[in-house]
Amino acid sequence: MSDLQFDRHRRLRISENMRALVRETQLHTEDLIYPIFVLEEEGKRSEVPSMPGIYQLSLDLLLEEIEEVVQLGIRSVLLFGVPKEKDAVGSEAYNDDGIIQQATRLIKEHYPDLIVVADTCLCEYTDHGHCGVIHEHFVDNDESLPLLVQTAISQAKAGADIIAPSNMMDGFVAAIRKGLDDAGFENIPVMSYAIKYSSAFYGPFRDAAGSTPQFGDRKTYQMDPANRLEAQREAESDIQEGADLLIVKPAMTYLDIVREVRDRFNLPVVAYNVSGEYSMVKAAAQNGWIDEKEIVLEKLTSMKRAGADLIMTYFAKDVARWIQN
């Protein structure tokens, strides 16, 4: 065989230390953003049935969760509110004493260095479950914008470090950026859900947040999963309107979009490893069909390899433990 000419790629795979030495993509605890659902109740820690290991937490139990997050080295959390009362315009979203505002103040009082990302949307707060004001069963884009601005300002006043609008209204970044600037919050970045598909992977989240639409669906404002070029237009618009970070949601089935956004734009890219992706892995692992740790690490590494700088994931605490060990 000495007369054959070929490359010996296996030389760099010969041992674990050798593979680690030349590893191209690294997953770090600092890359992770951990979503938390906060209940407007007391003494309640309720596991989400479709999301094993994920809980709705009442405000009085929140700091226990935050302490664990901090001890694990996770530097960012994403807050979703589950209010007691809802109405047609989601007024609890922009209530200065709303559940997200209370949770943010509590976290910043005890852990001022932890980055609090506030989800800025109305769907958790409206009685119809849609992300804006409804007129004749249709979400009114322009009438919804001022309410989103009020929500963002209220969250910033409470101490949120990053505003993350997830509603997919046209012009939502421009409106929120101007609103924040006018209110004196010009240093608060906007982490835009720039590319958010109308995905079947959101079901478990809607259980956790109580945000299932009471009629119709969200396909008139969230993106068609079949579209690729539209994602570039959406991202470009948000950048022009003042976005500081770009989210691609979901992540696992849209890695091609993550890569294209990374290649075309120079803002930080955030991949959202959504609830359905989490629940599928959990269900398979509980049935003994897969190795959960290996699957999760491979999946999240693929998001980094595709170009994500940050990853929003319900696996954040597990991953932080695995990295530490």
Side-chain angles (χ1 to χ4, degrees):
M1 302 292 289
S2 60
D3 58 333
L4 291 180
Q5 298 295 319
F6 56 87
D7 294 323
R8 292 194 178 274
H9 299 290
R10 291 179 58 189
R11 289 171 180 156
L12 300 182
R13 306 174 194 151
I14 200 69
S15 68
E16 172 54 34
N17 282 344
M18 183 67 76
R19 294 189 294 273
L21 183 68
V22 298
R23 189 160 291 142
E24 300 172 22
T25 305
Q26 301 286 343
L27 185 64
H28 303 287
T29 304
E30 294 85 352
D31 302 331
L32 308 175
I33 301 172
Y34 183 52
I36 298 176
F37 299 94
V38 189
L39 278 170
E40 197 171 10
E41 296 187 33
E42 291 185 4
K44 191 166 184 180
R45 177 182 170 88
S46 178
E47 188 172 28
V48 180
S50 56
M51 299 180 70
I54 300 299
Y55 295 83
Q56 296 173 324
L57 296 168
S58 56
L59 200 62
D60 55 319
L61 300 179
L62 177 61
L63 286 182
E64 180 181 339
E65 179 83 346
I66 295 298
E67 181 180 1
E68 182 182 15
V69 165
V70 171
Q71 289 178 346
L72 286 169
I74 297 168
R75 300 186 181 185
S76 310
V77 295
L78 170 64
L79 298 185
F80 294 100
V82 185
K84 281 183 179 179
E85 297 182 2
K86 304 185 179 190
D87 57 32
V89 294
S91 58
E92 283 301 301
Y94 42 91
N95 178 353
D96 285 346
D97 201 34
I99 185 58
I100 287 296
Q101 289 80 353
Q102 292 184 59
T104 300
R105 287 193 292 268
L106 182 65
I107 293 171
K108 298 305 287 186
E109 178 184 352
H110 291 84
Y111 298 95
D113 294 331
L114 185 68
I115 297 295
V116 173
V117 183
D119 178 74
T120 306
C121 196
L122 302 179
C123 62
E124 299 119 279
Y125 306 92
T126 56
D127 52 15
H128 46 72
H130 281 282
C131 302
V133 178
I134 298 294
H135 286 306
E136 297 181 356
H137 279 49
F138 189 79
V139 177
D140 188 309
N141 190 96
D142 294 5
E143 192 169 334
S144 301
L145 294 179
L147 304 185
L148 296 168
V149 172
Q150 289 183 54
T151 302
I153 293 172
S154 178
Q155 293 168 339
K157 284 180 180 177
D161 297 286
I162 298 175
I163 298 300
S166 59
N167 50 86
M168 288 297 286
M169 295 294 107
D170 291 335
F172 70 120
V173 173
I176 288 172
R177 182 70 273 160
K178 185 177 187 304
L180 289 172
D181 291 352
D182 290 348
F185 295 108
E186 60 275 0
N187 290 325
I188 299 293
V190 174
M191 179 188 287
S192 171
Y193 285 70
I195 300 167
K196 182 177 180 180
Y197 285 92
S198 179
S199 172
F201 284 93
Y202 300 152
F205 171 89
R206 292 170 183 172
D207 290 342
S211 61
T212 302
Q214 297 304 299
F215 62 87
D217 52 43
R218 295 176 177 150
K219 293 181 179 180
T220 64
Y221 46 102
Q222 295 178 0
M223 288 175 49
D224 186 337
N227 290 357
R228 179 179 65 84
L229 297 178
E230 182 183 8
Q232 305 304 312
R233 298 196 298 271
E234 288 279 4
E236 187 170 23
S237 291
D238 285 8
I239 291 172
Q240 292 171 350
E241 293 174 15
D244 299 283
L245 306 95
L246 304 173
I247 299 174
V248 178
K249 181 180 181 183
M252 188 170 69
T253 48
Y254 296 89
L255 293 181
D256 58 324
I257 306 301
V258 173
R259 170 45 59 189
E260 291 189 350
V261 171
R262 170 73 290 145
D263 287 346
R264 183 172 176 186
F265 305 110
N266 61 8
L267 293 185
V269 177
V270 186
Y272 198 144
N273 177 214
V274 299
S275 60
E277 298 167 358
Y278 172 89
S279 297
M280 287 193 305
V281 171
K282 281 291 184 182
Q286 288 179 347
N287 279 284
W289 297 336
I290 61 170
D291 182 318
E292 180 178 345
K293 175 183 174 182
E294 294 299 321
I295 288 285
V296 171
L297 291 177
E298 180 178 340
K299 181 173 68 168
L300 298 193
T301 298
S302 77
M303 297 171 194
K304 287 292 298 290
R305 190 183 66 243
D309 299 288
L310 302 168
I311 302 173
M312 293 174 165
T313 179
Y314 303 97
F315 287 112
K317 292 196 299 183
D318 292 330
V319 172
R321 293 188 191 99
W322 295 333
I323 291 175
Q324 285 182 4
N325 294 329

